Amino acid sequence: MDVVVVGAGVIGAACADALSAAGLRVTVLDRGPLASGTSAAGEGNILVSDKEPGPELDLALSSLSRWPALVGDTDIEWDPKGGLVVATGDPAPLAHFAAVQREAGVDARWITPAEALEREPHLTTRVTAAVHYPQDAQVQPVLAAQALLSNVRRRGGVLRPGVTVVGLDARGVHTSEGVIACDHVVNACGPWSGEVSRALGAPIAIAPRRGMVLVTAPLPPTVHHKVYDADYVGAVASGDADLQTSTVVESTAAGTILIGSSRERVGFDESIRIRVLRELARKAVALFPSLADVPVMRAYGGFRPYAPDHLPVIGADPRIPGLWHATGHEGAGIGLAAATGALLAELLTGATPHLDPTPFRVDRPGVLECV
């Protein structure tokens, strides 16, 4: 093999897709079933509305433009529903945020509270300001990852679920099923990237950040956009290890309502915390009062790959020739996957990068760990 991609979530799938499209022979490994980790626990958001101007927004805009062509006619439940960000207090911070985003190329449309209620009739009347983001979209994340992996398979790539990586040396990647000889290895293991990087001999500071989601029973059309309170942006950017919650409400193609979001650094603790679910429900009802009596069908959690500076890690590891990383996207992996795969493939093959890779380099402060 030319390249072994470790991790079959949406980031690994996007990297494998781009590398195989560039003509390389690719094998994708995952210790579990394909697309069964973080990608299976996400909401499938492809967002520009929550990102400040800078490298991550540049990556998001690039990715947004690439997603439709990547999957073609494959049904991944693509829904260009748009986003609606609302303030229920002082509107000034939201107005400033939208203004700087517009300068960076985001379609951020300031609308009145009355116009927000026209778009979302079930929204609280306490809204003081709102911004409509028509570029925001949603996909079914597992279907999206599987579509990319299908592209790899059609080009002759090999998909091997149930294979654990245990080491790396001059002979190749050591796995639970033997050694795979290759020229390059891509660590795309999401929240497990830190653990896998240590097994490969080049540790990076990626840690899990837990998130929870409530899912309602199917409803008639109730929520038409991805709707969230303006404090969501602050929660995403926070590095606090303690619980952070903010209101995010959106519908799915099946009619269920997804209610989030939470963030806390608790390692890989999978226990359900009732206080987190209560907080999510309370804030959702404050934003959409009609949800108060709607039954909750289930709740689930997942782990997001957290980097100390909140930027993805994309590029070559300076310590081991042939080792690459594509991780640290936290909760934005679906939205950033397409451009991440393209950038990783450009760097690995020596092509001219379509955007500046410097902010995402592996050897930036805080990312490298001592062996």
Side-chain angles (χ1 to χ4, degrees), residues 2-3 19 24 184-186 322 324 342-351:
D2 294 319
V3 187
L19 290 164
L24 299 177
H184 303 276
V185 179
V186 179
W324 302 76
L343 182 59
L344 189 283
E346 289 159 354
L347 295 171
L348 191 148
T349 60

Side-chain angles (χ1 to χ4, degrees), residues 157-340:
V158 178
L159 309 180
R160 296 184 62 183
V163 177
T164 301
V165 169
V166 296
L168 175 66
D169 62 20
R171 290 181 294 159
V173 182
H174 290 245
T175 78
S176 55
E177 302 295 326
V179 178
I180 303 174
C182 60
D183 298 321
H184 303 276
V185 179
V186 179
N187 172 19
C189 295
W192 297 273
S193 293
E195 173 186 314
V196 171
S197 69
R198 288 187 284 276
L200 295 173
I204 56 175
I206 300 297
R209 201 179 189 194
R210 183 87 190 281
M212 297 292 300
V213 176
L214 290 172
V215 185
T216 73
L219 300 174
T222 303
V223 182
H224 307 285
H225 303 74
K226 177 185 175 69
V227 183
Y228 59 87
D229 194 280
D231 65 359
Y232 175 77
V233 174
V236 170
S238 172
D240 197 327
D242 294 334
L243 176 65
Q244 303 273 316
T245 62
S246 53
T247 315
V248 182
V249 182
E250 64 188 312
S251 62
T252 69
T256 58
I257 304 293
L258 304 181
I259 297 172
S261 70
S262 69
R263 285 170 166 78
E264 57 183 335
R265 300 213 307 273
V266 292
F268 285 106
D269 183 354
E270 296 183 339
S271 60
I272 300 293
R273 290 173 166 78
I274 299 301
R275 69 184 182 91
V276 178
L277 303 183
R278 284 201 186 104
E279 185 72 1
L280 295 180
R282 182 184 68 80
K283 289 189 172 183
V285 170
L287 199 60
F288 283 91
S290 64
L291 294 178
D293 297 321
V294 172
V296 170
M297 184 168 63
R298 66 188 180 99
Y300 66 91
F303 300 105
R304 307 178 179 107
Y306 171 85
D309 59 2
H310 300 282
L311 281 180
V313 179
I314 307 168
D317 193 297
R319 298 163 292 184
I320 299 180
L323 175 60
W324 302 76
H325 301 281
T327 185
H329 300 74
E330 202 171 326
I334 305 296
L336 301 177
T340 294

Side-chain angles (χ1 to χ4, degrees), residues 17 67-79 138-152 154:
D17 177 53
W67 257 116
L70 271 185
V71 296
D73 296 329
T74 306
D75 182 13
I76 61 170
E77 296 183 11
W78 173 268
D79 185 0
Q138 184 182 27
V139 297
Q140 209 292 336
V142 174
L143 295 179
Q146 290 176 340
L148 296 173
L149 292 171
S150 294
N151 291 343
V152 176
R154 280 196 299 271

Side-chain angles (χ1 to χ4, degrees), residues 43-54:
E43 297 173 60
N45 292 316
I46 297 177
L47 304 181
V48 296
S49 57
D50 62 340
K51 294 171 180 61
E52 299 177 351

